Amino acid sequence: MNAAFLLLLCTMLLFEGRLPRVPPPIAVTTLAFVAYLALEVLFLVARTQASSVALVTDYYRYYFFLLILPLVFLADGALSAERVFGWLLLAFVPLAWLGIQQHFSGETILPTKAIDGRFQIFAWDRHGEVRAFSLFNSGWSFGHFVTLVAAMAFFGLRESPRPVSRRVLCCFVLAAAPVCAYASQTRTVFLVALCTVAAAAMLSWLRSGKATFSAVTLLPVAFGAAAYVVAYGAKPLVALLGMQDESLMATGSLDARWDAWLTYGGHWVGGSIPEFLFGLGIGQQDSGTLYGESTVLIDNMVVAIGVQIGAVGVLLWVAMMWQIWCWVLRRAVQEDTALHWGIAAVWSTWTLSLTFSAATVFYGVLAIGAVLMAGGRRIAMRRGDAAVDEGAVGSVGNQHLAGGTRMRIIGHE
């Protein structure tokens, strides 16, 4: 599927006969990161005899959807954000029902592993309880999807006019989302959901002119700090409250993470200067058995990148992610749709989510979605609908953008 998507983008590039119009900060940081990854293959193979195939495979796992983002700008605004938002609301209903049934009935309902072993549901059994995964590959993925749709529904309710059926559907999503998040039995999902609520409030203030763009941009910094407070403080707090025996409060998975962070992070930080700067070539290998001898599972993106391609790689990756985040936020302000605001609310949690995982696929897909979707006003203007103009649609107020620039955004309110 990923290869087919990349082939489609390359085909579009050939037929378009032009380079995509990529925002310069994203273009520069992505190209710098790609060039570094290419040099790292040569460096690590020569220095550590690492397998070039293994290195490129991990590049694919970590960064694929982020690295192809510049190509996606060839199809900038190709889809209607309003239409896709409606599809997501409708898809949420059966997916949520299935996830809730899985957890509360104690039955997976669906197979958790393919016969040939090529596909499996990860970590679906938690102390004898089923972690709801619906049609996704894990409770983590299902919970993040639920959080995304709920954030979109929140902003959808704040737009008017809206058909009654759409408003009822948004209310249903917001009511069912907490149940689905709980059914996922995934603590990272709980944290991401809470931070998304806080982000949605801040973005609402930005939308109404009560918060500045610069202040909202710092949300990932606050959420990243919160993640490390949880990582350091959760275990002693649980012990203090005497809740170690409760399944959702059990700290075994955090202990396993700490073991991996200290082991592999120690090799990286405690190694030679070249190893610290440029990595050791150690990659993620998840056999599906969390504590199996063949498993190298580093659930922290900074440590995972550091042990493979070093501190320089970490800095370039952070720069790329930060520029994508800033663009996603600007896109929400410019397009002013429930879908774009919802994506921005969830994207703001990337520092927190990736403290406890090394899965950037979700955020790469969201960024691609933000590129592909366009608000109704831009689509109408592209079709030459002269009735849709600044005077006909109205304004949602003045938003503060970076550098002190003020932009008047046209929307539905």
Side-chain angles (χ1 to χ4, degrees), residues 376-398:
R377 177 177 179 270
R378 186 150 68 99
I379 289 176
M381 291 179 67
R382 194 165 60 218
R383 291 172 179 170
D385 186 352
V388 183
D389 58 17
E390 186 166 332
V393 182
S395 170
V396 298
N398 292 319

Side-chain angles (χ1 to χ4, degrees), residues 123-255:
W124 60 268
D125 186 353
R126 178 179 175 81
H127 303 292
E129 292 185 302
V130 176
R131 278 177 160 167
F133 56 88
S134 190
L135 292 181
F136 297 84
N137 68 345
S138 66
W140 187 99
S141 299
F142 174 56
H144 278 68
F145 166 79
V146 165
T147 302
L148 171 66
V149 180
M152 293 178 181
F154 169 78
F155 287 103
L157 277 178
R158 298 174 65 84
E159 294 178 346
S160 59
R162 279 277 184 195
V164 174
S165 59
R166 181 65 61 85
R167 299 182 73 85
V168 169
L169 199 51
C170 287
C171 290
F172 170 78
V173 169
L174 291 174
V179 182
C180 293
Y182 173 79
S184 75
Q185 295 286 287
T186 306
R187 272 83 61 91
T188 302
V189 169
F190 301 165
L191 293 173
V192 167
L194 288 174
C195 289
T196 300
V197 171
M202 284 290 291
L203 290 172
S204 295
W205 295 336
L206 173 65
R207 198 180 190 188
S208 62
K210 297 177 182 178
T212 65
F213 186 89
S214 298
V216 177
T217 302
L218 295 176
L219 281 173
V221 177
F223 295 155
Y228 278 93
V229 169
V230 171
Y232 279 96
K235 189 172 181 178
L237 178 61
V238 167
L240 179 65
L241 297 175
M243 302 174 68
Q244 302 96 314
D245 297 332
E246 298 187 23
S247 61
L248 279 177
M249 295 293 110
T251 58
S253 64
L254 189 58
D255 291 338

Side-chain angles (χ1 to χ4, degrees), residues 315-329:
L315 291 175
L316 290 173
W317 173 77
V318 169
M320 180 179 67
M321 291 290 288
W322 187 262
Q323 292 302 330
I324 295 174
W325 151 242
C326 291
W327 178 85
V328 166
L329 184 56

